[in-house]
Amino acid sequence: EFLTGYIIEKSLSVDNLFVFALIFSYFRVPPAYQHRVLFWGVLGAIVMRGILILVGAGMISRFHWITYLFGAFLLYTGYRMLGHDKDKEEFDPEKNPAIRLLRRFFPVTSEYDEHHLFTRRAGVLHATPLFLVLLVVETTDLVFAVDSIPAIFTVTVDPFIVYTSNICAILGLRSLYFLLAHIIDKFRYLSTGLAIILMFIGAKALVASFYHIPVNVSL
């Protein structure tokens, strides 16, 4: 169960790398600062996913039928990804609600201040563009977690296995990004592969009451 959950999460996390590359390119983040963003991004993901997993585990223990909602959601998400073309996707982080909220209540500098997330200008604390990048990375991971966490819950409902497989997979995400960043555009069948995985997992959850697909088969 752990290995299956780990591979599911690692597979789905490859899609994160594509978005990370778009974010860094959009904000023109110097390579020297990308390491810092991903470091804090992974730490934030560990906390957020822990909260989501606890909530998910609590809901499933009380309402078992929620697994069918997870299955239907994953099946629908996979179906949408089959016809999804990332090259034609419009990417505009400025539309991110978290960015809009930050800009409304907090001043942001127009340039980077080395590796700092915050800086003082005329005695006033400002966020730097690097903090904006971190905010986009965190909110993006939250969106991806909505897919990946229900997927693992269809394999096992043990919160410990769900959490540890999740965390072990994303801990290597930062290193994986620097390994694949320059060839991420070669992953032409990424969306198709992930769509097939999500649709299989969704179908597995929906037929669980009639036929139990063994974990080894899923793996």
Side-chain angles (χ1 to χ4, degrees):
E1 289 179 350
F2 172 85
L3 184 58
T4 303
Y6 174 83
I7 291 179
I8 288 174
E9 179 59 34
K10 182 63 77 175
S11 300
L12 295 176
S13 68
V14 177
D15 209 24
N16 293 43
L17 305 183
F18 183 88
V19 178
F20 290 165
L22 288 177
I23 294 172
F24 290 153
S25 174
Y26 181 90
F27 286 99
R28 296 184 175 84
V29 182
Y33 306 154
Q34 294 177 7
H35 179 278
R36 181 175 176 81
V37 171
L38 293 179
F39 172 78
W40 287 108
V42 168
L43 287 182
I46 291 174
V47 175
M48 287 192 301
R49 288 173 183 246
I51 295 172
L52 289 176
I53 289 169
L54 285 176
V55 172
M59 292 173 64
I60 291 176
S61 65
R62 287 190 173 190
F63 313 104
H64 179 71
W65 52 265
I66 286 181
T67 56
Y68 298 112
L69 289 183
F70 285 169
F73 173 73
L74 294 172
L75 201 61
Y76 174 72
T77 302
Y79 174 75
R80 286 191 60 190
M81 288 184 69
L82 278 179
H84 186 61
D85 189 350
K86 288 184 177 294
D87 294 331
K88 296 180 180 178
E89 181 180 7
E90 181 182 353
F91 181 74
D92 186 6
E94 294 296 336
K95 295 180 180 179
N96 187 310
I99 295 295
R100 291 182 176 182
L101 191 65
L102 178 70
R103 288 190 181 278
R104 178 174 297 183
F105 297 104
F106 210 85
V108 181
T109 62
S110 58
E111 67 281 336
Y112 291 97
D113 184 9
E114 297 181 348
H115 64 280
H116 299 295
L117 300 175
F118 296 93
T119 186
R120 287 194 176 275
R121 298 291 169 85
V124 178
L125 187 65
H126 287 64
T128 68
L130 202 63
F131 183 74
L132 292 185
V133 176
L134 177 60
L135 199 58
V136 175
V137 167
E138 293 287 13
T139 52
T140 299
D141 181 75
L142 185 60
V143 172
F144 280 110
V146 173
D147 288 338
S148 62
I149 291 178
I152 299 182
F153 269 121
T154 64
V155 175
T156 176
V157 293
D158 186 329
F160 178 76
I161 296 179
V162 173
Y163 185 68
T164 52
S165 61
N166 228 276
I167 298 311
C168 287
I170 66 173
L171 279 176
L173 196 58
R174 183 179 58 178
S175 299
L176 191 62
Y177 171 77
F178 290 109
L179 176 67
L180 303 178
H182 298 294
I183 59 170
I184 200 69
D185 58 323
K186 305 294 184 183
F187 288 47
R188 291 178 294 172
Y189 303 107
L190 176 62
S191 293
T192 303
L194 296 181
I196 293 173
I197 292 175
L198 288 176
M199 292 178 71
F200 169 79
I201 297 170
K204 168 182 164 65
L206 291 176
V207 303
S209 295
F210 311 101
Y211 177 72
H212 174 70
I213 300 177
V215 175
N216 291 341
V217 175
S218 300
L219 179 57

